[in-house]
Amino acid sequence: MRGSPNARRLRLLTGVAGSFAVMFAGGLAYAQDTSANATAQEDTGDTIVVTGFRASLRSSTATKRNADAIVESVTAEEIGKLPDSSIAESLARLPGLSAQRLFGRSQQISVRGLSPDFTTALLNGREQVSAGDNRGVEFDQYPSELLQSVVVYKTPTAGLIGQGLAGTADMRTVRPLSYDSRVIAMNARYEWDELGALVAGSDESGYRVTASYIDQSADRRWGWALGVADMSSPTQAERFESWGYPTGNSPPDFPTGNPLPNNVFVIGGAKPYVQSSTLERTGYLGVLEFRPNNNFSTRIDAFYSEFDERQSLKGIEIPLWWDCSSGCGWRMDPSYTVSNNLVTDATFATEGVVRNDVRTRHSEVTAIGWNGRYDANDHWSFEADLSYSRVKRDDLDLETYAGTGPGNGAGAAGGADDILGVHQGNGSWVFDSSMDYTDYSLIQLTDPQGWGQAGFIKRPQTDDELDALRVTAERHLDNGPFSSWEFGINYSERSKDHTSLEHFVDLNCGGSPPTFNNCSVPVPMAFRQGPTSLAFIGIAGQISFDPEALLNDGGVYTLRELLNSDVIVKTWGVDENVLVAYTQLNIDSSLGAHSLKGNVGIQFVNTEQESTGGVQTGPTVSVADVTESYLEMLPSLNLSYEVMDNSYLRLGIARTLARPRMDEERASFAVSYNIGNMGSTNPSASYWGGSGGNPRLHPWIADSIDLSFEHYFGQSDGYVSLAAFYKKLESYIYTRNEVFDFTGFPLLNPGDTPATNLGVASVPVNGSGGYIQGLELTVSLPGEVIASALEGFGVVFNAASNDSDIHPPNTPGSALPGLSETVINTTVYYERAGFEFRVSNRYRSDFLGEVTGFGAGRELRMVNGESIVDAQIGYRFEEGALQGLAIQFQANNITDEPFSTFVNGDDRLVRDYQRYGSTYLFGVSYRR
């Protein structure tokens, strides 16, 4: 962990930015149109056209300034394009927000050091379902090109339905009647990866194409918008994974002839591979608005996205210290090197398992909503909103194994391989091998290590569906500090089901009766691909083939279903009926000579949840069905006071909740038995044991206070903001070992007589929380604020420092998931006379991230801090025959920043090291 240097860096940058704020507190005044599609302003009689990134900054600044709550936002530069290649990357540049990369791209968002579990995603104000096992939305499901803006609420209002505990991200599509005329926008980009096609037959280049059309009827009663975004995006990765790092005193049977000192770490095994992925996504958007008069308006919007990802993985899994086929550790040569209690080079007599794997995901996102608003008179307004959202996801994870022959790793044909492993400075390893893994006559389909299988396949499926109806009313008030009173209800029904089918992949070796996996089968010629290079780990290459085609059409594999308890408990369903009623008073008044705005209100949230799941008790499998309900009251207050011209002091006080992870609410449970402890009355050492979900979980609850000071440089896109927040978590959910009453569960054997029905089960529970607090600084500084000669230049800088006393048990380092102590984002840009240039850096310190672990389960690992640099340059034709045309070149991850996780608080003990290389895009766009 590297907290101290980051803290010093943050203090330095805070001081510099504070000096900027004092120097330019007088600001410059600009007059501007703050509508979403404003592109021009008047300044001293001359028209200055503001487009591209500066237009986005200006609109986002206006949103922040005029909001009643504390918000951040990102707005499209122009119709059809956001500033970054994904929504998640754009959001990760906002103050207090950060993203975790997955397979090279940003996917989920952490707000203020809290994991994605605590952030709710909305589309046009409506809560959205998710493709994962939880509620956190995967933002790469939503094409950024079809969105007009995203607003992140850091403090909630009573009228914000679906609010999150950490924050709420509202993705907003266009409103056709807010535009003055027809808009046609098209965007095409070609992209390629620096690493090329690492896997034979994969794609090294891709494309993104977008088209949007917005129009209105002649009488401006009707408006419509249509959009389509299609992409095929390749990602390459060189990945090193370790099995883990045991110490010399484990296992105890390590031969005395090759001793390893106690407390010296040694790599247990390695799974390095190259990965070539292709993400294909097509999104459609349609909006229809009707406003026959000033009193009534209605709108229907529909969004659909189809998401297909295929990952081809080629690598060699190398059992090392944990090669336990004939006694753990016996294959390591006595000649090895130890540096600071870590074996940094050693030779092992083992045989690698050649892996040709494939992972696919197909998901479909559907979101449809209808909204109607009626202003009955000068005092009363009514609104109704009906919505439907659904995600269907189907995954496939296929592993196949090959080697010199079946058995314990000694190899039937080629014998064991002498592999020298050397630890690298970045935590990964390189190997020197004596075997030719590219020889199809030597490396064949088999079970090289005697694992009892020639491969494995998992097919998890998720179906998440949400219906919601909202009805609200607002009464405008003529006198007093309150401008209006609004109230309403929102009722939603959500159903999420998850299943997992898992099978061993076997080789039918023939015979009567047939034997399995005790033979070797050459890879059929029809399925062979060119050899795949593994030079990044020091091995020349390996045989390659298409495992999915071989499974389906090769005639060499057969499947054997796995019904272990860990598979049974992966099948579950959760139904939630949530009724939200709220009332809120809006404030639009003055205090002294300056304005005072805000709101005060309360939400009543009644939740009824039903959980089902498989329960395995020995050989018996049953279904559990458990219901639970709770009522929570969530008051909130937001105040914004203009303490002086262009300077605002904001206060937010609220009680918020986040419902439990849906996979933690599951009723699935697996019982384990220890017959040897049948006579024990101690629950910790009894006959009973188990693990599973907890359908009686109640939500996380937090009381928070936010304070923010903002100074704006006139009406420009420049401002400085300093914010502080404190969240006291009344309840926090974590997994721990609990004394559990197993009364009613069947015995393993009918004649068993345990001394007690109490045992210990590992389940998620509601426990006491703690606090999380932080400071956030933002400076958006146009160059002309300093000097007119710097017009067109600018810098956007924000930094966040977070701290927490929450230390959940059973997490690496007892760390809070998603919490980076320091997050810093910097963007330097220049835009003038059609020329555009921007370079950005996103930095976050170490954090506890969520990754996919063994068995496709959720696993928490410490992630090394990272600093990602992106840049883009372009030119926009502002006049002549090419007016409306723009060209752009973009480079992402310029410094080739890796993604890596580590264990035991030692970043040398790398569990996963991923190198993606840089990605480049060249594009053209047109708008008129």
Side-chain angles (χ1 to χ4, degrees), residues 298-321:
T298 185
R299 181 184 74 252
I300 297 176
D301 51 77
F303 171 82
Y304 175 80
S305 174
E306 188 169 4
F307 179 103
D308 285 284
E309 184 173 23
R310 180 182 178 86
Q311 301 173 359
S312 181
L313 303 94
K314 312 292 183 183
I316 301 178
E317 190 163 12
I318 309 173
L320 298 169
W321 178 267

PDB file of all heavy atoms in Angstrom, residues 298-321:
ATOM      1  N   THR A 298     -46.379  14.284 -23.169  1.00  0.00           N
ATOM      2  CA  THR A 298     -46.191  12.856 -22.939  1.00  0.00           C
ATOM      3  C   THR A 298     -45.009  12.372 -23.769  1.00  0.00           C
ATOM      4  O   THR A 298     -44.671  12.979 -24.800  1.00  0.00           O
ATOM      5  CB  THR A 298     -47.466  12.066 -23.294  1.00  0.00           C
ATOM      6  OG1 THR A 298     -47.272  10.691 -22.941  1.00  0.00           O
ATOM      7  CG2 THR A 298     -47.788  12.170 -24.772  1.00  0.00           C
ATOM      8  N   ARG A 299     -44.390  11.293 -23.306  1.00  0.00           N
ATOM      9  CA  ARG A 299     -43.175  10.808 -23.958  1.00  0.00           C
ATOM     10  C   ARG A 299     -43.070   9.297 -23.795  1.00  0.00           C
ATOM     11  O   ARG A 299     -43.390   8.744 -22.733  1.00  0.00           O
ATOM     12  CB  ARG A 299     -41.957  11.469 -23.327  1.00  0.00           C
ATOM     13  CG  ARG A 299     -40.628  11.071 -23.937  1.00  0.00           C
ATOM     14  CD  ARG A 299     -39.460  11.684 -23.194  1.00  0.00           C
ATOM     15  NE  ARG A 299     -39.203  11.045 -21.912  1.00  0.00           N
ATOM     16  CZ  ARG A 299     -39.443  11.578 -20.728  1.00  0.00           C
ATOM     17  NH1 ARG A 299     -39.972  12.800 -20.656  1.00  0.00           N
ATOM     18  NH2 ARG A 299     -39.177  10.936 -19.607  1.00  0.00           N
ATOM     19  N   ILE A 300     -42.656   8.645 -24.856  1.00  0.00           N
ATOM     20  CA  ILE A 300     -42.311   7.223 -24.815  1.00  0.00           C
ATOM     21  C   ILE A 300     -40.862   7.087 -25.266  1.00  0.00           C
ATOM     22  O   ILE A 300     -40.478   7.656 -26.296  1.00  0.00           O
ATOM     23  CB  ILE A 300     -43.225   6.388 -25.735  1.00  0.00           C
ATOM     24  CG1 ILE A 300     -44.677   6.459 -25.264  1.00  0.00           C
ATOM     25  CG2 ILE A 300     -42.754   4.939 -25.776  1.00  0.00           C
ATOM     26  CD1 ILE A 300     -45.639   5.738 -26.195  1.00  0.00           C
ATOM     27  N   ASP A 301     -40.058   6.391 -24.485  1.00  0.00           N
ATOM     28  CA  ASP A 301     -38.678   6.130 -24.917  1.00  0.00           C
ATOM     29  C   ASP A 301     -38.376   4.651 -24.728  1.00  0.00           C
ATOM     30  O   ASP A 301     -38.832   4.012 -23.777  1.00  0.00           O
ATOM     31  CB  ASP A 301     -37.671   7.000 -24.162  1.00  0.00           C
ATOM     32  CG  ASP A 301     -37.823   6.949 -22.665  1.00  0.00           C
ATOM     33  OD1 ASP A 301     -37.393   5.951 -22.079  1.00  0.00           O
ATOM     34  OD2 ASP A 301     -38.366   7.908 -22.081  1.00  0.00           O
ATOM     35  N   ALA A 302     -37.645   4.110 -25.672  1.00  0.00           N
ATOM     36  CA  ALA A 302     -37.302   2.694 -25.662  1.00  0.00           C
ATOM     37  C   ALA A 302     -35.816   2.534 -25.968  1.00  0.00           C
ATOM     38  O   ALA A 302     -35.268   3.218 -26.836  1.00  0.00           O
ATOM     39  CB  ALA A 302     -38.141   1.932 -26.689  1.00  0.00           C
ATOM     40  N   PHE A 303     -35.183   1.626 -25.243  1.00  0.00           N
ATOM     41  CA  PHE A 303     -33.764   1.346 -25.422  1.00  0.00           C
ATOM     42  C   PHE A 303     -33.562  -0.162 -25.475  1.00  0.00           C
ATOM     43  O   PHE A 303     -34.147  -0.912 -24.683  1.00  0.00           O
ATOM     44  CB  PHE A 303     -32.950   1.943 -24.272  1.00  0.00           C
ATOM     45  CG  PHE A 303     -31.509   1.521 -24.261  1.00  0.00           C
ATOM     46  CD1 PHE A 303     -30.586   2.157 -25.068  1.00  0.00           C
ATOM     47  CD2 PHE A 303     -31.068   0.479 -23.453  1.00  0.00           C
ATOM     48  CE1 PHE A 303     -29.257   1.759 -25.081  1.00  0.00           C
ATOM     49  CE2 PHE A 303     -29.754   0.074 -23.450  1.00  0.00           C
ATOM     50  CZ  PHE A 303     -28.836   0.720 -24.261  1.00  0.00           C
ATOM     51  N   TYR A 304     -32.737  -0.606 -26.402  1.00  0.00           N
ATOM     52  CA  TYR A 304     -32.420  -2.029 -26.513  1.00  0.00           C
ATOM     53  C   TYR A 304     -30.941  -2.170 -26.870  1.00  0.00           C
ATOM     54  O   TYR A 304     -30.428  -1.451 -27.744  1.00  0.00           O
ATOM     55  CB  TYR A 304     -33.270  -2.706 -27.582  1.00  0.00           C
ATOM     56  CG  TYR A 304     -32.903  -4.149 -27.823  1.00  0.00           C
ATOM     57  CD1 TYR A 304     -33.352  -5.162 -26.978  1.00  0.00           C
ATOM     58  CD2 TYR A 304     -32.083  -4.513 -28.898  1.00  0.00           C
ATOM     59  CE1 TYR A 304     -33.010  -6.487 -27.196  1.00  0.00           C
ATOM     60  CE2 TYR A 304     -31.730  -5.842 -29.125  1.00  0.00           C
ATOM     61  CZ  TYR A 304     -32.208  -6.824 -28.268  1.00  0.00           C
ATOM     62  OH  TYR A 304     -31.856  -8.136 -28.483  1.00  0.00           O
ATOM     63  N   SER A 305     -30.276  -3.087 -26.183  1.00  0.00           N
ATOM     64  CA  SER A 305     -28.865  -3.328 -26.448  1.00  0.00           C
ATOM     65  C   SER A 305     -28.615  -4.827 -26.449  1.00  0.00           C
ATOM     66  O   SER A 305     -29.050  -5.540 -25.531  1.00  0.00           O
ATOM     67  CB  SER A 305     -27.980  -2.657 -25.387  1.00  0.00           C
ATOM     68  OG  SER A 305     -26.617  -2.989 -25.562  1.00  0.00           O
ATOM     69  N   GLU A 306     -27.929  -5.292 -27.479  1.00  0.00           N
ATOM     70  CA  GLU A 306     -27.539  -6.699 -27.563  1.00  0.00           C
ATOM     71  C   GLU A 306     -26.022  -6.770 -27.465  1.00  0.00           C
ATOM     72  O   GLU A 306     -25.302  -6.099 -28.208  1.00  0.00           O
ATOM     73  CB  GLU A 306     -28.020  -7.326 -28.865  1.00  0.00           C
ATOM     74  CG  GLU A 306     -27.821  -8.827 -28.922  1.00  0.00           C
ATOM     75  CD  GLU A 306     -28.534  -9.473 -30.095  1.00  0.00           C
ATOM     76  OE1 GLU A 306     -29.124  -8.720 -30.902  1.00  0.00           O
ATOM     77  OE2 GLU A 306     -28.500 -10.703 -30.214  1.00  0.00           O
ATOM     78  N   PHE A 307     -25.556  -7.576 -26.551  1.00  0.00           N
ATOM     79  CA  PHE A 307     -24.159  -7.574 -26.140  1.00  0.00           C
ATOM     80  C   PHE A 307     -23.610  -8.991 -26.292  1.00  0.00           C
ATOM     81  O   PHE A 307     -24.134  -9.940 -25.698  1.00  0.00           O
ATOM     82  CB  PHE A 307     -24.105  -7.111 -24.678  1.00  0.00           C
ATOM     83  CG  PHE A 307     -22.754  -7.054 -24.040  1.00  0.00           C
ATOM     84  CD1 PHE A 307     -22.115  -5.834 -23.862  1.00  0.00           C
ATOM     85  CD2 PHE A 307     -22.125  -8.195 -23.576  1.00  0.00           C
ATOM     86  CE1 PHE A 307     -20.881  -5.775 -23.226  1.00  0.00           C
ATOM     87  CE2 PHE A 307     -20.892  -8.144 -22.949  1.00  0.00           C
ATOM     88  CZ  PHE A 307     -20.274  -6.921 -22.775  1.00  0.00           C
ATOM     89  N   ASP A 308     -22.574  -9.152 -27.116  1.00  0.00           N
ATOM     90  CA  ASP A 308     -21.928 -10.452 -27.304  1.00  0.00           C
ATOM     91  C   ASP A 308     -20.430 -10.290 -27.130  1.00  0.00           C
ATOM     92  O   ASP A 308     -19.813  -9.463 -27.807  1.00  0.00           O
ATOM     93  CB  ASP A 308     -22.218 -11.021 -28.691  1.00  0.00           C
ATOM     94  CG  ASP A 308     -23.622 -11.572 -28.822  1.00  0.00           C
ATOM     95  OD1 ASP A 308     -23.874 -12.672 -28.305  1.00  0.00           O
ATOM     96  OD2 ASP A 308     -24.469 -10.896 -29.437  1.00  0.00           O
ATOM     97  N   GLU A 309     -19.875 -11.079 -26.246  1.00  0.00           N
ATOM     98  CA  GLU A 309     -18.433 -11.040 -26.024  1.00  0.00           C
ATOM     99  C   GLU A 309     -17.877 -12.460 -26.103  1.00  0.00           C
ATOM    100  O   GLU A 309     -18.436 -13.393 -25.530  1.00  0.00           O
ATOM    101  CB  GLU A 309     -18.090 -10.429 -24.674  1.00  0.00           C
ATOM    102  CG  GLU A 309     -16.592 -10.288 -24.450  1.00  0.00           C
ATOM    103  CD  GLU A 309     -16.249  -9.525 -23.192  1.00  0.00           C
ATOM    104  OE1 GLU A 309     -17.097  -9.475 -22.284  1.00  0.00           O
ATOM    105  OE2 GLU A 309     -15.140  -8.972 -23.118  1.00  0.00           O
ATOM    106  N   ARG A 310     -16.774 -12.599 -26.825  1.00  0.00           N
ATOM    107  CA  ARG A 310     -16.093 -13.886 -26.935  1.00  0.00           C
ATOM    108  C   ARG A 310     -14.632 -13.693 -26.567  1.00  0.00           C
ATOM    109  O   ARG A 310     -13.943 -12.853 -27.149  1.00  0.00           O
ATOM    110  CB  ARG A 310     -16.209 -14.460 -28.345  1.00  0.00           C
ATOM    111  CG  ARG A 310     -15.510 -15.819 -28.508  1.00  0.00           C
ATOM    112  CD  ARG A 310     -15.612 -16.337 -29.932  1.00  0.00           C
ATOM    113  NE  ARG A 310     -14.900 -17.597 -30.090  1.00  0.00           N
ATOM    114  CZ  ARG A 310     -15.404 -18.795 -29.836  1.00  0.00           C
ATOM    115  NH1 ARG A 310     -16.665 -18.888 -29.419  1.00  0.00           N
ATOM    116  NH2 ARG A 310     -14.693 -19.892 -29.996  1.00  0.00           N
ATOM    117  N   GLN A 311     -14.180 -14.463 -25.594  1.00  0.00           N
ATOM    118  CA  GLN A 311     -12.793 -14.425 -25.147  1.00  0.00           C
ATOM    119  C   GLN A 311     -12.139 -15.755 -25.473  1.00  0.00           C
ATOM    120  O   GLN A 311     -12.618 -16.818 -25.066  1.00  0.00           O
ATOM    121  CB  GLN A 311     -12.709 -14.172 -23.646  1.00  0.00           C
ATOM    122  CG  GLN A 311     -13.349 -12.881 -23.196  1.00  0.00           C
ATOM    123  CD  GLN A 311     -13.382 -12.761 -21.685  1.00  0.00           C
ATOM    124  OE1 GLN A 311     -12.939 -13.653 -20.971  1.00  0.00           O
ATOM    125  NE2 GLN A 311     -13.903 -11.655 -21.192  1.00  0.00           N
ATOM    126  N   SER A 312     -11.054 -15.699 -26.216  1.00  0.00           N
ATOM    127  CA  SER A 312     -10.281 -16.886 -26.538  1.00  0.00           C
ATOM    128  C   SER A 312      -8.995 -16.849 -25.732  1.00  0.00           C
ATOM    129  O   SER A 312      -8.233 -15.874 -25.812  1.00  0.00           O
ATOM    130  CB  SER A 312      -9.972 -16.935 -28.041  1.00  0.00           C
ATOM    131  OG  SER A 312      -9.244 -18.095 -28.365  1.00  0.00           O
ATOM    132  N   LEU A 313      -8.757 -17.890 -24.929  1.00  0.00           N
ATOM    133  CA  LEU A 313      -7.620 -17.920 -24.022  1.00  0.00           C
ATOM    134  C   LEU A 313      -6.731 -19.119 -24.344  1.00  0.00           C
ATOM    135  O   LEU A 313      -7.206 -20.255 -24.454  1.00  0.00           O
ATOM    136  CB  LEU A 313      -8.093 -18.013 -22.567  1.00  0.00           C
ATOM    137  CG  LEU A 313      -9.034 -16.915 -22.062  1.00  0.00           C
ATOM    138  CD1 LEU A 313     -10.481 -17.349 -22.221  1.00  0.00           C
ATOM    139  CD2 LEU A 313      -8.768 -16.594 -20.598  1.00  0.00           C
ATOM    140  N   LYS A 314      -5.443 -18.853 -24.486  1.00  0.00           N
ATOM    141  CA  LYS A 314      -4.456 -19.886 -24.748  1.00  0.00           C
ATOM    142  C   LYS A 314      -3.334 -19.742 -23.729  1.00  0.00           C
ATOM    143  O   LYS A 314      -2.777 -18.653 -23.553  1.00  0.00           O
ATOM    144  CB  LYS A 314      -3.873 -19.766 -26.157  1.00  0.00           C
ATOM    145  CG  LYS A 314      -4.902 -19.597 -27.273  1.00  0.00           C
ATOM    146  CD  LYS A 314      -5.755 -20.828 -27.490  1.00  0.00           C
ATOM    147  CE  LYS A 314      -6.702 -20.631 -28.658  1.00  0.00           C
ATOM    148  NZ  LYS A 314      -7.610 -21.792 -28.848  1.00  0.00           N
ATOM    149  N   GLY A 315      -2.998 -20.846 -23.063  1.00  0.00           N
ATOM    150  CA  GLY A 315      -1.938 -20.758 -22.075  1.00  0.00           C
ATOM    151  C   GLY A 315      -1.556 -22.123 -21.547  1.00  0.00           C
ATOM    152  O   GLY A 315      -2.101 -23.159 -21.957  1.00  0.00           O
ATOM    153  N   ILE A 316      -0.610 -22.120 -20.623  1.00  0.00           N
ATOM    154  CA  ILE A 316      -0.114 -23.354 -20.024  1.00  0.00           C
ATOM    155  C   ILE A 316      -0.206 -23.210 -18.503  1.00  0.00           C
ATOM    156  O   ILE A 316       0.426 -22.320 -17.922  1.00  0.00           O
ATOM    157  CB  ILE A 316       1.336 -23.639 -20.442  1.00  0.00           C
ATOM    158  CG1 ILE A 316       1.430 -23.743 -21.966  1.00  0.00           C
ATOM    159  CG2 ILE A 316       1.840 -24.917 -19.785  1.00  0.00           C
ATOM    160  CD1 ILE A 316       2.848 -23.969 -22.477  1.00  0.00           C
ATOM    161  N   GLU A 317      -1.004 -24.067 -17.889  1.00  0.00           N
ATOM    162  CA  GLU A 317      -1.110 -24.078 -16.435  1.00  0.00           C
ATOM    163  C   GLU A 317       0.012 -24.946 -15.884  1.00  0.00           C
ATOM    164  O   GLU A 317       0.157 -26.125 -16.277  1.00  0.00           O
ATOM    165  CB  GLU A 317      -2.473 -24.601 -16.002  1.00  0.00           C
ATOM    166  CG  GLU A 317      -2.737 -24.413 -14.527  1.00  0.00           C
ATOM    167  CD  GLU A 317      -4.211 -24.534 -14.185  1.00  0.00           C
ATOM    168  OE1 GLU A 317      -4.996 -24.974 -15.042  1.00  0.00           O
ATOM    169  OE2 GLU A 317      -4.577 -24.188 -13.050  1.00  0.00           O
ATOM    170  N   ILE A 318       0.802 -24.372 -14.967  1.00  0.00           N
ATOM    171  CA  ILE A 318       2.035 -25.027 -14.527  1.00  0.00           C
ATOM    172  C   ILE A 318       1.966 -25.301 -13.027  1.00  0.00           C
ATOM    173  O   ILE A 318       2.141 -24.382 -12.213  1.00  0.00           O
ATOM    174  CB  ILE A 318       3.258 -24.153 -14.845  1.00  0.00           C
ATOM    175  CG1 ILE A 318       3.250 -23.718 -16.319  1.00  0.00           C
ATOM    176  CG2 ILE A 318       4.540 -24.892 -14.515  1.00  0.00           C
ATOM    177  CD1 ILE A 318       4.320 -22.718 -16.672  1.00  0.00           C
ATOM    178  N   PRO A 319       1.687 -26.534 -12.612  1.00  0.00           N
ATOM    179  CA  PRO A 319       1.767 -26.855 -11.184  1.00  0.00           C
ATOM    180  C   PRO A 319       3.210 -26.752 -10.701  1.00  0.00           C
ATOM    181  O   PRO A 319       4.120 -27.281 -11.333  1.00  0.00           O
ATOM    182  CB  PRO A 319       1.252 -28.305 -11.120  1.00  0.00           C
ATOM    183  CG  PRO A 319       0.504 -28.515 -12.403  1.00  0.00           C
ATOM    184  CD  PRO A 319       1.222 -27.667 -13.419  1.00  0.00           C
ATOM    185  N   LEU A 320       3.419 -26.064  -9.580  1.00  0.00           N
ATOM    186  CA  LEU A 320       4.773 -25.874  -9.072  1.00  0.00           C
ATOM    187  C   LEU A 320       4.853 -26.433  -7.655  1.00  0.00           C
ATOM    188  O   LEU A 320       4.804 -27.637  -7.462  1.00  0.00           O
ATOM    189  CB  LEU A 320       5.160 -24.395  -9.163  1.00  0.00           C
ATOM    190  CG  LEU A 320       5.187 -23.836 -10.603  1.00  0.00           C
ATOM    191  CD1 LEU A 320       5.321 -22.323 -10.616  1.00  0.00           C
ATOM    192  CD2 LEU A 320       6.301 -24.491 -11.409  1.00  0.00           C
ATOM    193  N   TRP A 321       4.949 -25.612  -6.636  1.00  0.00           N
ATOM    194  CA  TRP A 321       5.062 -26.129  -5.266  1.00  0.00           C
ATOM    195  C   TRP A 321       3.837 -26.967  -4.892  1.00  0.00           C
ATOM    196  O   TRP A 321       3.952 -27.973  -4.198  1.00  0.00           O
ATOM    197  CB  TRP A 321       5.221 -24.970  -4.290  1.00  0.00           C
ATOM    198  CG  TRP A 321       5.293 -25.396  -2.855  1.00  0.00           C
ATOM    199  CD1 TRP A 321       4.277 -25.506  -1.961  1.00  0.00           C
ATOM    200  CD2 TRP A 321       6.467 -25.803  -2.154  1.00  0.00           C
ATOM    201  NE1 TRP A 321       4.722 -25.942  -0.749  1.00  0.00           N
ATOM    202  CE2 TRP A 321       6.085 -26.128  -0.836  1.00  0.00           C
ATOM    203  CE3 TRP A 321       7.818 -25.917  -2.513  1.00  0.00           C
ATOM    204  CZ2 TRP A 321       6.988 -26.560   0.122  1.00  0.00           C
ATOM    205  CZ3 TRP A 321       8.713 -26.336  -1.547  1.00  0.00           C
ATOM    206  CH2 TRP A 321       8.301 -26.651  -0.254  1.00  0.00           C
TER     207      TRP A 321
END
